[in-house]
Amino acid sequence: MDSGGSCIDETSSDHSANSISVSPLTVLLTPEKLCRVGSGSSVVLDLETGVDQAESRKLPSSQYKGVVPQPNGRWGAQIYEKHQRVWLGTFNEEQEAAKAYDIAAQRFRGRDAITNFKPLLDSNEDDDIEAAFLNSHSKAEIVDMLRKHTYNDELDQSKRNFGDGSCHGKINRSGIYMGLTTGSMGQGMGAREQLFEKAVTPSDVGKLNRLVIPKQHAEKNFPLQTGTTSKGVLLNFEDNGGKVWRFRYSYWNSSQSYVLTKGWSRFVKEKGLKAGDIVMFMRSTGGDKHLFIDFKTRTGSSSIQQPIYPVHHQQPAVQVVRLFGVNIFKMPNIAVSGLVENNNNHHAWIGNKRIREVDLLQTIDCCKKQHIISAGAL
DNA sequence: ATCTGTGTTGAC
DNA sequence: TCAACACAGATG
């Protein structure tokens, strides 16, 4: 990588690599920060000065806790828990990464966590709302938001929806967590209703990287708003192990099919799904209405520990709720809190971030609507 | 081709 | 617990 140059011109590489240009702030960073070599030790710097190559190659340390430099000049955020690193994503700005760490620290360690910036939790109302928001989401969900840079949007949405992050009552200042990093003890263990199941076809587990959702099930359970059909939305499903799977769900006009695309192939791979296996979609019957996914092999062995969830019949009607000038579909019995609209009119989290899948969804369309059905704990 | 984030290690 | 470093694997 770039073995000829003494250092990468980060500003230009960033511009070329990213669909969204870096912010002026990045450009204004000190030259040293912009002078990084690529990853790996194979890069040889030809510095006539004779300056120690290893020295030149060295990445700058961050002044912030939980923030680590990336070879391309960006910043990673990470937090440790139980001797394990939890990666919080990469960011253009060191401060963004530091903020991500802070949020994770609050979620993982409670109100008294040491943070880079001011403690999240004063006693003012806004902080309480954020604390409630944090505690109403599993650690995994918070981490996912941080990694996808949707935290602020989802927090805003929560504030606008209910002002309490769907966590009613007093906030426990010592931090009572509803979700755990492992296991499905978060919002997952309540009663579930099975929505539908499908025996996957060869193409569902093949190279097309998509799962076709039978139309009647799709329209009944995952209605798409006009205008979001082709663009898709992100759906979160929790599996039996408590892992959250986030799939893009959209309608393909070409085949007139509802499909799970992005993320699906990974699920197939990890679960070792084969044609004929049966994928099941469920939803909790509690207030949170989280979504779940599971599967069983053709021969019948299920990945779940045989919990037989009561199957309730679905009500077909779909309501449209108008919120903040945006139509949000609401299924009967589904709290609107299960649908999270991301509207990046509000925040700079994405800011100069390079476009990623999630960001694209927000950026492409001027309406910038993205619904995330959050699916629970990790 | 480029970047992410994991594997690993040693300091604290 | 934490950050530094290297680079395999993921992503574009």
Side-chain angles (χ1 to χ4, degrees), chain A residues 73-349:
Chain A
R74 303 183 78 220
W75 299 89
Q78 59 188 19
I79 191 169
Y80 286 81
E81 190 193 41
K82 304 206 180 94
H83 310 292
Q84 293 233 304
R85 173 177 45 205
V86 178
W87 188 254
L88 305 174
T90 53
F91 305 84
N92 282 335
E93 303 304 327
E94 195 179 357
Q95 293 83 358
E96 279 183 294
K99 179 65 178 162
Y101 172 87
D102 284 4
I103 292 163
Q106 301 281 348
R107 180 61 186 83
F108 281 64
R109 296 167 186 172
R111 299 190 89 129
D112 299 329
I114 294 170
T115 52
N116 290 298
F117 304 112
K118 50 126 201 178
L120 239 208
L121 313 162
D122 279 339
S123 41
N124 72 64
E125 187 186 352
D126 221 45
D127 289 349
D128 281 348
I129 290 172
E130 182 158 1
F133 176 80
L134 281 170
N135 283 332
S136 68
H137 290 81
S138 68
K139 293 177 186 176
E141 285 178 305
I142 297 298
V143 168
D144 194 64
M145 292 177 205
L146 294 173
R147 288 173 76 147
K148 293 196 161 68
H149 298 202
T150 63
Y151 176 82
N152 278 352
D153 285 332
E154 300 198 30
L155 173 60
D156 282 352
Q157 192 59 56
S158 170
K159 286 178 180 173
R160 286 155 174 268
N161 272 353
F162 302 106
D164 66 358
S166 73
C167 181
H168 299 273
K170 276 294 172 198
I171 297 142
N172 185 327
R173 296 190 77 88
S174 61
I176 291 178
Y177 301 141
M178 295 173 62
L180 296 173
T181 301
T182 56
S184 49
M185 302 177 62
Q187 18 274 73
M189 293 315 282
R192 300 173 191 179
E193 57 182 338
Q194 180 155 318
L195 300 177
F196 62 92
E197 57 185 40
K198 182 193 181 186
V200 295
T201 64
S203 63
D204 285 334
V205 296
K207 290 178 180 169
L208 294 178
N209 298 323
R210 59 98 179 101
L211 171 75
V212 172
I213 308 275
K215 193 168 187 174
Q216 80 267 24
H217 296 310
E219 292 180 345
K220 181 195 285 182
N221 299 295
F222 311 131
L224 280 168
Q225 182 179 358
T226 312
T228 65
T229 51
S230 58
K231 182 170 41 131
V233 298
L234 293 179
L235 299 183
N236 285 357
F237 295 88
E238 182 180 334
D239 71 12
N240 186 47
K243 177 170 181 175
V244 174
W245 295 86
R246 187 170 273 210
F247 304 123
R248 181 183 293 181
Y249 168 63
S250 58
Y251 181 75
W252 281 355
N253 281 312
S254 57
S255 54
Q256 307 220 316
S257 304
Y258 291 91
V259 287
L260 295 183
T261 55
K262 182 90 174 177
W264 174 249
S265 59
R266 188 174 289 224
F267 183 85
V268 170
K269 185 177 171 188
E270 181 168 321
K271 302 299 185 186
L273 274 189
K274 299 287 182 293
D277 291 346
I278 295 174
V279 184
M280 299 170 290
F281 294 90
M282 290 150 287
R283 185 172 63 210
S284 64
T285 56
D288 45 48
K289 301 297 177 188
H290 287 289
L291 295 169
F292 299 89
I293 187 170
D294 201 357
F295 74 98
K296 53 193 175 189
T297 62
R298 199 173 0 185
T299 54
S301 64
S302 170
S303 82
I304 52 179
Q305 306 103 354
Q306 304 313 327
I308 305 303
Y309 299 109
V311 176
H312 306 285
H313 195 63
Q314 291 297 292
Q315 304 165 45
V318 172
Q319 298 172 251
V320 178
V321 178
R322 184 88 178 166
L323 277 176
F324 339 135
V326 173
N327 288 331
I328 294 179
F329 278 86
K330 181 188 177 199
M331 288 182 279
N333 290 335
I334 295 188
V336 182
S337 62
L339 296 170
V340 178
E341 180 207 28
N342 260 320
N343 185 330
N344 74 351
N345 284 336
H346 305 309
H347 256 286
W349 258 104

